Amino acid sequence: MNNKTIFCKITYIFIGDVYLSIIKYSTKEKNLLARLMRAEALGEGDLGMLMVGNVIVNRALADCLTFKNIRTITDVVYQSPGGFVGVNSSLFVGNPTAKELSLANRILRGEYYHPATNALWFYSPKKDEDCLALWYEQRNSGRYKNHCFYIPQSGVCRQIH
């Protein structure tokens, strides 16, 4: 296993004792986020699910590339084409656990984890395969377990850089 340092950037916004979110969401959307994080990265552990959550929220924040009319978590989850294969997984079905909701809350409050900090895409290469340097013309920002993360060129998606 490759031991690499994982960097975390946390952006919490408070008004009094209340956390503000980095994106507007409903209870239903928080559940969608938690379910998709589980479906895409349960085998990657908590940190892997948090990184997938970063990509999901980044897509809602970005106003660029194929995400110009994507503004909500629901839009991101069900985007077609270009959505997530996890929506077709049996892991996507059913209510999220308390732990999964807690992970989703952390993402909604602004926790970011490298290499997913500015990522809009990820994929899982075949076993024993390295991450591609470029994937659909996007630069690799790093790997965590079996997920390779990809970021747009600097300046293209200003909302996430």
Side-chain angles (χ1 to χ4, degrees):
M1 185 167 133
N2 193 350
N3 292 325
K4 291 189 177 184
T5 304
I6 303 296
F7 296 97
C8 171
K9 174 181 93 174
I10 301 176
T11 309
Y12 288 132
I13 303 170
F14 292 97
I15 294 184
D17 292 332
V18 177
Y19 287 110
L20 293 182
S21 174
I22 60 172
I23 187 173
K24 290 182 181 180
Y25 66 93
S26 66
T27 300
K28 181 179 176 184
E29 287 184 308
K30 180 171 66 171
N31 287 343
L32 272 176
L33 174 62
R35 290 169 42 210
L36 189 55
M37 289 166 59
R38 171 182 64 207
E40 291 283 354
L42 181 64
E44 309 291 304
D46 291 357
L47 189 53
M49 288 192 285
L50 288 165
M51 289 181 188
V52 166
N54 288 156
V55 171
I56 295 166
V57 168
N58 283 347
R59 287 183 179 192
L61 292 171
D63 188 17
C64 59
L65 303 169
T66 59
F67 309 107
K68 287 189 184 249
N69 294 313
I70 305 296
R71 291 287 146 265
T72 67
I73 292 170
T74 301
D75 292 342
V76 172
V77 170
Y78 296 112
Q79 181 184 10
S80 180
F84 294 91
V85 297
V87 298
N88 299 316
S89 166
S90 61
L91 291 172
F92 185 67
V93 179
N95 292 325
T97 65
K99 182 177 185 176
E100 292 160 353
L101 287 171
S102 175
L103 294 173
N105 278 328
R106 289 171 61 184
I107 292 303
L108 292 167
R109 287 189 219 145
E111 287 188 28
Y112 276 90
Y113 296 89
H114 179 79
T117 305
N118 301 112
L120 288 172
W121 304 272
F122 63 88
Y123 85 100
S124 297
K126 293 178 182 175
K127 187 175 173 114
D128 298 324
E129 234 180 54
D130 290 332
C131 296
L132 298 171
L134 291 175
W135 191 56
Y136 293 102
E137 301 178 21
Q138 308 306 318
R139 185 171 55 90
N140 177 262
S141 59
R143 180 180 192 143
Y144 180 74
K145 293 189 177 182
N146 198 39
H147 280 138
C148 302
F149 292 88
Y150 292 84
I151 60 174
Q153 297 299 321
S154 184
V156 172
C157 297
R158 298 172 205 249
Q159 299 82 357
I160 61 167
H161 276 280

